[in-house]
Amino acid sequence: MIVMKFGGTSVANYEAITRSVSIVESRLAEKPIVVVSALSKVTDLLYRISDSATAGDRQSVEELLGELRRRHISLVNELLADNEPLCVQACAKVDEICDGLDSFVGAVCALGELTDRSKAKIISHGEWLSSNIICYAMNARGIRTGFIDARMMMKTTDDYLKGEPLVGEIVKNAPETVAKAYEGADAVITQGFIASTMKGEPSVLGRGGSDYSASLIGMAVDAERIEIWTDVDGVRTADPRMVKNTRSIDRISFEEAAEMAHFGAKVLHPLTIEPAVMKNIPVYVLNSMNPEGAGTAILQSDSIEDGVKSISFKENILLLNIFSTRMINVSGFLKRVFEIFSENKVSVDLISTSEANISLTMDASQNIDKVVRELSEFAEVGVDTDKSQVSIIGKNIVNLRGLLRQAMSSLGGSNVYMISQGASFVNISFVVDRASLSDVVNEVHKYLFEAERYESGN
Ligand code: ADP
Ligand code: ASP
Ligand code: MG
């Protein structure tokens, strides 16, 4: 069995879905579990619907719901143009789903209030629509396709918008659910991103969570491999939207890929690798617009050579500086600091300490007002905004003599506010001004990948 996950751009429209269905067709002998995202930009649209409904803006809600329905209906008409009976059925299905959403959103509008649980329900509709439509398209192609409601097997905590997977439940449910859907079928399809709590309430795995769904399912059914089909030729030396001359990476370790994703590379959801590691399942990142391409294999570390693989970045971070003379020689100071972060559920990325100072970075999307207030009771706290974090990722980069010095020397006039070398020896990260991010990433990329300048320490 294999898992094949198709992201938003791989199911964006008629052409993309037709290509993706052909890719599935080429793998039927391996019993694929197809995991799909919402059509490209549909989850954003559903977020906008939620916002307009909360604001009670009925006109905007109606326009957006109309846009959602029209896009899916016209897709069905294109995909199933040659099969009228299926086309009628699929249109009725889309209408039924959209009618349900319309009345739910209508009720939210009337209330003018939206809980996270209701929001999770609204934003789940993207994957629900796409998976139903693609199931029809696969059947129309002659691929007998079993349909799985992911919420029956993907169980999470009740953090509705970023549910933490209950791995034990998923491992218990998935094999049986998949086996049942496979009865008399050539392939099965299910949704990424969406899940439910133990009480059966809707939840989702957080933005970009379909990759994570795919690897959780792959782990639960002991898949031979997990394929992440997207719009780039595999994992690259940097985000191609930021750097022009990126190269595709043939092979990379689980740790490197996890670190890249954690430090900002959008190509994979940050937690995708975790379930794959548990069962040592190879993950391939492939381009649905170039299915013959080799893509990137993400494998166990032993089979991966040392060296720099990629540069990741987080564009918008906060740099927190904590000063206290009380820190000197007082054990327990760090404990107190981290308890505050933990109690307020603020997660920290980088840490560096000196005698009377701790510097930390964190995602700017987190609200840290309370953290700052509580820290200020016993230390001086400064918050720098408009900062970005750049990470150089590679197995055992610590052994590459001079790498750090050379990477830094390529930064020219840009200020560096903090440097941190991960204990795992897989990354070196530093903080720069947001305004100089693009220059820094491009310069470091040029230094590391567009010229062989550093010496290997081995
Ligand atoms: P999908 O909808 O298929 O999940 P995403 O947009 O979430 O696709 O992820 C693919 C995008 O990730 C690419 O289009 C690319 O712009 C971006 N990306 C960021 N960093 C990298 C990287 N190092 N290698 C490849 N793609 C990257
Ligand atoms: N559709 C969801 C999102 O846009 C999940 C995903 O595509 O991975 O965040
Ligand atoms: Mg994605």
PDB file of all heavy atoms in Angstrom, residues 375-389:
ATOM      1  N   LEU A 375       7.195  38.134  32.450  1.00  0.00           N
ATOM      2  CA  LEU A 375       8.672  38.165  32.528  1.00  0.00           C
ATOM      3  C   LEU A 375       9.150  39.488  33.129  1.00  0.00           C
ATOM      4  O   LEU A 375      10.134  39.544  33.859  1.00  0.00           O
ATOM      5  CB  LEU A 375       9.281  38.000  31.126  1.00  0.00           C
ATOM      6  CG  LEU A 375       9.171  36.632  30.467  1.00  0.00           C
ATOM      7  CD1 LEU A 375       9.623  36.704  29.004  1.00  0.00           C
ATOM      8  CD2 LEU A 375      10.029  35.600  31.220  1.00  0.00           C
ATOM      9  N   SER A 376       8.415  40.547  32.807  1.00  0.00           N
ATOM     10  CA  SER A 376       8.825  41.886  33.265  1.00  0.00           C
ATOM     11  C   SER A 376       8.784  42.021  34.785  1.00  0.00           C
ATOM     12  O   SER A 376       9.357  42.943  35.345  1.00  0.00           O
ATOM     13  CB  SER A 376       7.933  42.962  32.649  1.00  0.00           C
ATOM     14  OG  SER A 376       8.004  42.874  31.256  1.00  0.00           O
ATOM     15  N   GLU A 377       8.107  41.089  35.441  1.00  0.00           N
ATOM     16  CA  GLU A 377       8.061  41.142  36.910  1.00  0.00           C
ATOM     17  C   GLU A 377       9.427  40.869  37.530  1.00  0.00           C
ATOM     18  O   GLU A 377       9.686  41.248  38.661  1.00  0.00           O
ATOM     19  CB  GLU A 377       7.041  40.135  37.439  1.00  0.00           C
ATOM     20  CG  GLU A 377       5.614  40.623  37.234  1.00  0.00           C
ATOM     21  CD  GLU A 377       4.588  39.531  37.512  1.00  0.00           C
ATOM     22  OE1 GLU A 377       4.929  38.527  38.174  1.00  0.00           O
ATOM     23  OE2 GLU A 377       3.436  39.705  37.043  1.00  0.00           O
ATOM     24  N   PHE A 378      10.305  40.175  36.815  1.00  0.00           N
ATOM     25  CA  PHE A 378      11.614  39.890  37.416  1.00  0.00           C
ATOM     26  C   PHE A 378      12.783  40.113  36.459  1.00  0.00           C
ATOM     27  O   PHE A 378      13.919  39.790  36.782  1.00  0.00           O
ATOM     28  CB  PHE A 378      11.644  38.464  37.984  1.00  0.00           C
ATOM     29  CG  PHE A 378      11.370  37.395  36.963  1.00  0.00           C
ATOM     30  CD1 PHE A 378      12.408  36.763  36.312  1.00  0.00           C
ATOM     31  CD2 PHE A 378      10.063  37.033  36.664  1.00  0.00           C
ATOM     32  CE1 PHE A 378      12.174  35.773  35.381  1.00  0.00           C
ATOM     33  CE2 PHE A 378       9.812  36.042  35.731  1.00  0.00           C
ATOM     34  CZ  PHE A 378      10.856  35.420  35.085  1.00  0.00           C
ATOM     35  N   ALA A 379      12.504  40.635  35.251  1.00  0.00           N
ATOM     36  CA  ALA A 379      13.620  40.886  34.321  1.00  0.00           C
ATOM     37  C   ALA A 379      13.255  42.026  33.384  1.00  0.00           C
ATOM     38  O   ALA A 379      12.097  42.421  33.294  1.00  0.00           O
ATOM     39  CB  ALA A 379      13.915  39.626  33.519  1.00  0.00           C
ATOM     40  N   GLU A 380      14.281  42.531  32.725  1.00  0.00           N
ATOM     41  CA  GLU A 380      14.044  43.576  31.735  1.00  0.00           C
ATOM     42  C   GLU A 380      13.797  42.879  30.396  1.00  0.00           C
ATOM     43  O   GLU A 380      14.563  41.985  30.025  1.00  0.00           O
ATOM     44  CB  GLU A 380      15.321  44.402  31.626  1.00  0.00           C
ATOM     45  CG  GLU A 380      15.119  45.887  31.516  1.00  0.00           C
ATOM     46  CD  GLU A 380      16.484  46.552  31.480  1.00  0.00           C
ATOM     47  OE1 GLU A 380      17.138  46.605  32.568  1.00  0.00           O
ATOM     48  OE2 GLU A 380      16.884  46.951  30.391  1.00  0.00           O
ATOM     49  N   VAL A 381      12.738  43.258  29.709  1.00  0.00           N
ATOM     50  CA  VAL A 381      12.392  42.526  28.487  1.00  0.00           C
ATOM     51  C   VAL A 381      12.312  43.475  27.298  1.00  0.00           C
ATOM     52  O   VAL A 381      11.667  44.525  27.376  1.00  0.00           O
ATOM     53  CB  VAL A 381      11.017  41.820  28.649  1.00  0.00           C
ATOM     54  CG1 VAL A 381      10.718  40.962  27.421  1.00  0.00           C
ATOM     55  CG2 VAL A 381      10.987  40.962  29.896  1.00  0.00           C
ATOM     56  N   GLY A 382      12.956  43.125  26.213  1.00  0.00           N
ATOM     57  CA  GLY A 382      12.858  43.914  24.984  1.00  0.00           C
ATOM     58  C   GLY A 382      12.307  43.034  23.867  1.00  0.00           C
ATOM     59  O   GLY A 382      12.662  41.862  23.770  1.00  0.00           O
ATOM     60  N   VAL A 383      11.397  43.574  23.069  1.00  0.00           N
ATOM     61  CA  VAL A 383      10.846  42.797  21.949  1.00  0.00           C
ATOM     62  C   VAL A 383      11.203  43.500  20.644  1.00  0.00           C
ATOM     63  O   VAL A 383      10.857  44.657  20.446  1.00  0.00           O
ATOM     64  CB  VAL A 383       9.299  42.682  22.049  1.00  0.00           C
ATOM     65  CG1 VAL A 383       8.763  41.797  20.928  1.00  0.00           C
ATOM     66  CG2 VAL A 383       8.869  42.161  23.402  1.00  0.00           C
ATOM     67  N   ASP A 384      11.924  42.796  19.778  1.00  0.00           N
ATOM     68  CA  ASP A 384      12.249  43.335  18.454  1.00  0.00           C
ATOM     69  C   ASP A 384      11.303  42.736  17.434  1.00  0.00           C
ATOM     70  O   ASP A 384      11.202  41.507  17.323  1.00  0.00           O
ATOM     71  CB  ASP A 384      13.675  42.930  18.052  1.00  0.00           C
ATOM     72  CG  ASP A 384      14.714  43.836  18.659  1.00  0.00           C
ATOM     73  OD1 ASP A 384      14.321  44.881  19.199  1.00  0.00           O
ATOM     74  OD2 ASP A 384      15.902  43.484  18.594  1.00  0.00           O
ATOM     75  N   THR A 385      10.627  43.582  16.687  1.00  0.00           N
ATOM     76  CA  THR A 385       9.773  43.063  15.606  1.00  0.00           C
ATOM     77  C   THR A 385      10.501  43.291  14.285  1.00  0.00           C
ATOM     78  O   THR A 385      11.650  43.738  14.276  1.00  0.00           O
ATOM     79  CB  THR A 385       8.420  43.786  15.605  1.00  0.00           C
ATOM     80  OG1 THR A 385       8.692  45.180  15.584  1.00  0.00           O
ATOM     81  CG2 THR A 385       7.591  43.444  16.808  1.00  0.00           C
ATOM     82  N   ASP A 386       9.822  42.994  13.192  1.00  0.00           N
ATOM     83  CA  ASP A 386      10.429  43.185  11.859  1.00  0.00           C
ATOM     84  C   ASP A 386      11.753  42.453  11.708  1.00  0.00           C
ATOM     85  O   ASP A 386      12.708  42.955  11.130  1.00  0.00           O
ATOM     86  CB  ASP A 386      10.633  44.675  11.570  1.00  0.00           C
ATOM     87  CG  ASP A 386       9.316  45.324  11.190  1.00  0.00           C
ATOM     88  OD1 ASP A 386       8.469  44.602  10.627  1.00  0.00           O
ATOM     89  OD2 ASP A 386       9.126  46.511  11.479  1.00  0.00           O
ATOM     90  N   LYS A 387      11.809  41.266  12.278  1.00  0.00           N
ATOM     91  CA  LYS A 387      13.011  40.443  12.138  1.00  0.00           C
ATOM     92  C   LYS A 387      12.651  39.149  11.404  1.00  0.00           C
ATOM     93  O   LYS A 387      11.501  38.697  11.441  1.00  0.00           O
ATOM     94  CB  LYS A 387      13.567  40.061  13.522  1.00  0.00           C
ATOM     95  CG  LYS A 387      14.042  41.260  14.325  1.00  0.00           C
ATOM     96  CD  LYS A 387      15.399  41.742  13.854  1.00  0.00           C
ATOM     97  CE  LYS A 387      15.872  42.978  14.589  1.00  0.00           C
ATOM     98  NZ  LYS A 387      15.227  44.219  14.139  1.00  0.00           N
ATOM     99  N   SER A 388      13.639  38.587  10.735  1.00  0.00           N
ATOM    100  CA  SER A 388      13.454  37.305  10.056  1.00  0.00           C
ATOM    101  C   SER A 388      14.527  36.341  10.526  1.00  0.00           C
ATOM    102  O   SER A 388      15.582  36.755  11.002  1.00  0.00           O
ATOM    103  CB  SER A 388      13.591  37.463   8.536  1.00  0.00           C
ATOM    104  OG  SER A 388      12.637  38.349   8.047  1.00  0.00           O
ATOM    105  N   GLN A 389      14.236  35.062  10.340  1.00  0.00           N
ATOM    106  CA  GLN A 389      15.171  34.032  10.781  1.00  0.00           C
ATOM    107  C   GLN A 389      15.583  33.188   9.570  1.00  0.00           C
ATOM    108  O   GLN A 389      14.722  32.758   8.808  1.00  0.00           O
ATOM    109  CB  GLN A 389      14.414  33.191  11.787  1.00  0.00           C
ATOM    110  CG  GLN A 389      15.132  32.066  12.413  1.00  0.00           C
ATOM    111  CD  GLN A 389      14.212  31.497  13.503  1.00  0.00           C
ATOM    112  OE1 GLN A 389      13.757  32.200  14.409  1.00  0.00           O
ATOM    113  NE2 GLN A 389      13.897  30.226  13.386  1.00  0.00           N
TER     114      GLN A 389
END
